[in-house]
Amino acid sequence: MTDTPAKRLPKAERREQLLETAMGIVREQGTDALTLGYLAERAGVSKPIAYEHFGTRSGLLIALYKQIDDRQNAVVRRDFQRTPHRLHDVARLLGESYMSCFRTAGPECHAINAALAGDEEMEKFQQELVEGYVNFYRDLLAPFAAALPADELLRRCVAIIGAGDALSREMTRGRIEEADAAATLARLIVGAMADDGV
């Protein structure tokens, strides 16, 4: 069974086609079904082509998650260029964009993220992702946290990312409405920027 006819494509287009086919497999059958051999079959290409693009199953999962992440980051950065520089506005947009990212990516995003927990290559990639998110939040929130020591702000951003992940999981499971999850995360962000002396 193939999703598309096998035809010669430029390398970048072939990679995009393989990633879209891989996302379809995850959506329909879950991450356990996603292998390079099955991907090649579904995409109508030979196995060596799939291996040439991704190398390993880990490489494929990483590329798939990175594609989702890159798309979402572009949207978030664009939105922040138009946001007033007030804490409540920034917190609201962070909450909304965090939940919107997981809604638009679908439950497949959490499934791919879970599948990334395994070997060393995937663990390293996940750590780099989390560090990137934490640094992005720290840079956005630093102007509102002048009273906080830099290391404390960093720890609070780690906590915000953890809370956002937990809320987004509940949202994708249908236990929390997106607007409520976004509002809760925004309130946590505003609260986290206070120098409460604790």
Side-chain angles (χ1 to χ4, degrees), residues 112-153:
I112 294 165
N113 195 22
L116 286 170
D119 69 16
E120 192 176 321
E121 182 184 5
M122 292 193 270
E123 294 286 349
K124 183 176 180 234
F125 173 71
Q126 280 189 313
Q127 186 58 41
E128 288 170 0
L129 273 180
V130 170
E131 286 173 6
Y133 296 146
V134 168
N135 291 334
F136 177 68
Y137 275 54
R138 180 200 60 204
D139 293 346
L140 279 173
L141 295 170
F144 311 107
L148 295 176
D151 57 345
E152 178 63 21
L153 174 59

Side-chain angles (χ1 to χ4, degrees), residues 37-173:
Y38 187 48
L39 172 61
E41 179 186 332
R42 286 282 302 264
V45 300
S46 65
K47 283 185 187 179
I49 290 175
Y51 280 90
E52 178 187 337
H53 281 275
F54 307 109
T56 62
R57 181 175 186 271
S58 299
L60 171 58
L61 286 164
I62 287 169
L64 201 53
Y65 198 90
K66 190 169 184 335
Q67 181 189 53
I68 294 168
D69 190 58
D70 288 347
R71 287 177 181 170
Q72 300 304 337
N73 279 337
V75 171
V76 170
R77 290 182 192 281
R78 184 198 65 218
D79 289 347
F80 273 101
Q81 290 174 351
R82 300 189 300 246
T83 302
H85 294 284
R86 295 185 299 264
L87 176 58
H88 282 78
D89 293 322
V90 170
R92 179 185 48 76
L93 185 56
L94 281 172
E96 289 172 359
S97 66
Y98 201 103
M99 298 310 147
S100 173
C101 286
F102 282 98
R103 176 183 41 79
T104 56
E108 298 82 19
C109 191
H110 280 302
I112 294 165
N113 195 22
L116 286 170
D119 69 16
E120 192 176 321
E121 182 184 5
M122 292 193 270
E123 294 286 349
K124 183 176 180 234
F125 173 71
Q126 280 189 313
Q127 186 58 41
E128 288 170 0
L129 273 180
V130 170
E131 286 173 6
Y133 296 146
V134 168
N135 291 334
F136 177 68
Y137 275 54
R138 180 200 60 204
D139 293 346
L140 279 173
L141 295 170
F144 311 107
L148 295 176
D151 57 345
E152 178 63 21
L153 174 59
L154 194 68
R155 286 191 296 272
R156 291 186 189 196
C157 288
V158 169
I160 289 166
I161 297 300
D165 188 54
L167 286 164
S168 68
R169 284 182 188 281
E170 292 297 289
M171 180 192 74
T172 57
R173 291 177 181 144

